[in-house]
Amino acid sequence: MPKLQVALYWAASCGGCEIATLAIGDKILKLAEVADIVFWPVAIDAKYADVEKMTDKSIDVCLFNGAIRNSENEHLAKLLRQKSKIMIAYGSCAVEGCIPGLANFFNASMILDNTYLDTASTDNAGKTIPQTKVSIPEGELDLPEFYNTVKTLAQTVDVDYFIPGCPPEERTTWLALEALISGKLPPKGTVIAHPAQAVCNDCPRVKHEKKIKAFHRPYEIIPEPDKCLLEQGLLCYGVATRGGCGAPCPQANMPCTGCYGPVEGVRDQGSHFLTALASIIDATEPEEIEKILDGIVDPAGTFYRYSLPDAMINRARIKP
Amino acid sequence: MTDFEPKIVAFLCNWCSYRGADLAGTSRIKCAPNVRPIRVMCSGRVEPAFILRAFELGADGVLVLGCHPGDCHYAEGNYKALRRMMLLKKMLPQLGIEEDRFRLDWVSASEGDKFATVVNDITEKVRALGPFKTKEETKVA
Ligand code: FES
């Protein structure tokens, strides 16, 4: 059997997904037995031009991590889609926008101004801001265009499978790779993860009826070891997050922050968590509710930490 | 923007507010025709996602009306609605959705006049704000 031709790429991401691919440990040797990696900027020296020269659909599988936030990301997404039989959104950035997607609370000029002009530690007397084209004696140089709105991979090209997580857990990555290696592929559009409706299903903490009188941030309390974190007033996102990760965060005393995306059947993860949280607040008087809600300091940032570009309202509306 | 007619989606609970709206009609109380009513069994049925979806699909304003506190047909549904909508209201400005585009209020079956007042009020406020657009010009094709 000919070896699988595999490409890996990173767009707007932190590099964590690259590490996550290696987290499969010595299983990587199994992968090497059946697959050739033809393109992987972080590890092998292949250029964009080499990809452009490949025949269409000559790559069997492309694992694409990172969101689409500039013209280079978009170009590579389209190019790799054209060259690949199977396109996989790998990790939360590609699946739903993730942390880079929080930029959708702003627009491009707000971000560039803040980064290059306004921050206290920036010394930029010439007010230099990145340009897409600049002429120097040696010729013209160009930089990718920085977009106003961060998009997901599926908002940019047709995607066959989704692998959730920031970054995907080792077990999730291997589950997907095993499916690819064996050729036993699920239906197109599947989010590949171990079946568990919500993170709570994976979490061993003891759960009771939830009634909340106050919310806390993780640094404010030392949580009891065995009790549900949400019941202790921590904003644990497990109730509204797809399981399959094995719930490593709550088992390390940290509330789930929602990186595996919405549970099956839900489109807008942020409002789903909002709904769940508000429902279990133990108060009926507006004043008391208000006081309890004051404990949620950044509602939109908390609820849409990973999924703003994929949300129903996918960016903040900014008045000119 | 003189020819702008706001589109307002109103979720009305079956037991009080929908009947309040009916009463406004049978009493021939004049009120703004901008509301698109959607009857739900209880204000507690209205998930915040419904409101965001309404904005996503082009609503300029959204109204949720239920029974007065203590009067919910299912005892607690409107308290649940109150908590959800208060939290939603805290979040909407972060998404650039002005406070006046969304309102939760209580209208009983006997309050046809209050129904008309609330509807007129949100219609005028949203008219002043202008149309709502979620999809900013983006450069990704
Ligand atoms: S039935 Fe009217 S608010 Fe619950």
Side-chain angles (χ1 to χ4, degrees), chain A:
Chain A
M1 199 177 107
K3 280 183 150 190
L4 276 179
Q5 305 293 295
V6 176
L8 296 96
Y9 187 68
W10 51 0
S13 69
C14 69
C17 281
E18 312 289 332
I19 315 266
T21 359
L22 295 176
I24 57 172
D26 53 13
K27 294 195 188 96
I28 197 107
L29 298 174
K30 251 196 215 164
L31 181 66
E33 278 170 25
V34 294
D36 278 334
I37 294 176
V38 295
F39 179 61
W40 191 10
V42 77
I44 66 170
D45 188 21
K47 307 287 186 222
Y48 293 173
D50 300 327
V51 183
E52 275 153 19
K53 274 187 233 127
M54 295 176 186
T55 44
D56 287 0
K57 307 288 173 209
S58 61
I59 299 171
D60 292 302
V61 183
C62 175
L63 287 172
F64 192 105
N65 74 72
I68 309 301
R69 89 106 51 254
N70 66 30
S71 54
E72 182 188 12
N73 304 151
E74 186 190 356
H75 171 63
L76 262 288
K78 289 182 172 161
L79 181 63
L80 286 164
R81 172 69 277 189
Q82 189 190 335
K83 304 293 176 191
S84 310
K85 291 194 191 89
I86 297 174
M87 181 64 139
I88 299 185
Y90 182 82
S92 176
C93 287
V95 174
E96 61 211 332
C98 199
I99 306 298
L102 292 171
N104 288 2
F105 285 116
F106 311 94
N107 62 24
S109 62
M110 288 160 89
I111 293 168
L112 292 175
D113 286 357
N114 188 57
T115 312
Y116 291 94
L117 305 175
D118 302 336
T119 36
S121 58
T122 300
D123 181 5
N124 181 5
K127 298 204 186 306
T128 308
I129 280 208
Q131 304 296 317
T132 49
K133 288 214 181 318
V134 60
S135 293
I136 55 165
E138 290 80 5
E140 196 164 75
L141 296 177
D142 55 72
L143 277 179
E145 183 185 352
F146 188 77
Y147 293 147
N148 266 328
T149 300
V150 176
K151 291 200 168 189
T152 68
L153 185 61
Q155 286 165 354
T156 311
V157 297
D158 190 37
V159 173
D160 297 294
Y161 301 108
F162 301 85
I163 301 179
C166 179
E169 281 293 303
E170 179 216 321
R171 65 200 297 249
T172 312
T173 302
W174 187 241
L175 186 72
L177 291 179
E178 265 185 321
L180 287 167
I181 293 169
S182 67
K184 292 198 191 89
L185 288 163
K188 183 174 164 155
T190 299
V191 179
I192 301 177
H194 291 79
Q197 201 192 359
V199 173
C200 298
N201 297 63
D202 286 339
C203 175
R205 287 174 177 268
V206 183
K207 296 145 194 110
H208 306 94
E209 200 194 330
K210 297 176 178 31
K211 281 185 182 304
I212 292 177
K213 279 280 183 202
F215 290 112
H216 309 288
R217 305 181 81 183
Y219 72 88
E220 292 172 332
I221 60 164
I222 294 176
E224 290 173 39
D226 304 320
K227 188 175 162 192
C228 165
L229 292 173
L230 183 55
E231 285 167 27
Q232 301 184 59
L234 291 169
L235 290 172
C236 185
Y237 216 139
V239 286
T241 302
R242 174 188 292 276
C245 57
C249 302
Q251 292 183 74
N253 284 342
M254 283 304 285
C256 167
T257 55
C259 78
Y260 263 49
V263 299
E264 198 69 50
V266 167
R267 188 182 141 208
D268 193 275
Q269 190 189 11
S271 66
H272 195 227
F273 186 41
L274 183 161
T275 303
L277 271 189
S279 305
I280 56 176
I281 289 173
D282 188 15
T284 51
E285 288 307 313
E287 299 72 36
E288 195 189 354
I289 298 171
E290 194 67 64
K291 248 184 58 207
I292 298 173
L293 292 181
D294 282 345
I296 305 175
V297 283
D298 174 11
T302 306
F303 303 149
Y304 292 104
R305 181 176 307 198
Y306 298 97
S307 64
L308 185 59
D310 206 29
M312 287 174 178
I313 306 294
N314 69 338
R315 59 160 301 114
R317 187 178 171 224
I318 291 154
K319 291 223 188 78

